[in-house]
Amino acid sequence: DKALLRVRIELIGKGRLGENSLICVPRESDVGGEGVSEPQQKDEMELDRKDKRKLHQEKMKRLKRQWKKVKNKQVLLVTQTIAEEKEPEKEKMKMIDHSLILLKGLREEENSCYKEKAERLWEGNCTTVRNSSSRE
């Protein structure tokens, strides 16, 4: 006999229910001293997330070093022109400013792309609700 039941759920701790969330009746083995808890599941995406995070950090460090090199060139150029009491070369300054803007844009783009990829890696490879959890 199958039937639809109307339920009201109130989250006490962490968690978020979204559209079409799966709700399961707890088993006897789920009820312990601290209330209802599900055994920890194997995280299949953990290594992928760690690898992607490490690659992202390396790329961000490299971009930061490149930005710092260009910024140091700009500071050096300004200090040399002040020491020599000359006007700074406008063409070089414009080129350096443009490089700094491009490098900052690359860093921002890398951060946004990584954020999207990292969110997808937390979701896993779930295509259907049926058989998507340890419950049947």
Side-chain angles (χ1 to χ4, degrees):
D1 295 339
K2 295 183 180 182
L4 291 175
L5 297 176
R6 183 176 172 176
V7 295
R8 180 173 179 249
I9 297 178
E10 184 176 323
L11 296 177
I12 297 172
K14 292 182 181 179
R16 186 182 90 192
L17 293 178
E19 222 174 281
N20 299 320
S21 291
L22 186 63
I23 303 170
C24 300
V25 176
R27 297 177 183 152
E28 288 180 23
S29 62
D30 294 335
V31 181
E34 297 180 15
V36 178
S37 65
E38 185 174 349
Q40 189 172 2
Q41 304 296 317
K42 185 178 181 293
D43 186 3
E44 298 170 359
M45 305 298 281
E46 182 180 15
L47 291 176
D48 285 343
R49 276 195 313 276
K50 284 184 178 181
D51 289 341
K52 298 286 185 200
R53 184 169 191 266
K54 186 177 178 183
L55 291 173
H56 170 70
Q57 287 177 331
E58 290 172 358
K59 187 170 184 178
M60 292 307 294
K61 282 181 184 178
R62 187 175 63 248
L63 289 171
K64 176 78 172 183
R65 282 193 299 266
Q66 288 176 345
W67 182 87
K68 188 134 175 95
K69 277 183 184 180
V70 174
K71 185 69 173 172
N72 286 340
K73 281 183 184 180
Q74 183 185 38
V75 170
L76 182 64
L77 183 63
V78 169
T79 53
Q80 283 177 344
T81 54
I82 290 172
E84 296 172 0
E85 297 177 358
K86 292 184 191 175
E87 281 291 314
E89 295 182 40
K90 292 188 188 267
E91 199 58 39
K92 273 190 178 180
M93 289 299 288
K94 189 182 271 188
M95 196 170 75
I96 289 173
D97 286 337
H98 183 67
S99 295
L100 288 172
I101 291 169
L102 288 177
L103 285 168
K104 185 176 181 180
L106 282 173
R107 287 171 53 198
E108 289 172 354
E109 182 181 334
E110 171 63 23
N111 276 332
S112 64
C113 287
Y114 172 73
K115 183 180 176 185
E116 291 174 13
K117 290 176 188 175
E119 285 175 1
R120 274 188 257 120
L121 285 173
W122 276 104
E123 293 170 1
N125 299 328
C126 180
T127 54
T128 63
V129 175
R130 183 78 174 149
N131 301 323
S132 65
S133 69
S134 62
R135 310 292 181 188
E136 279 297 316

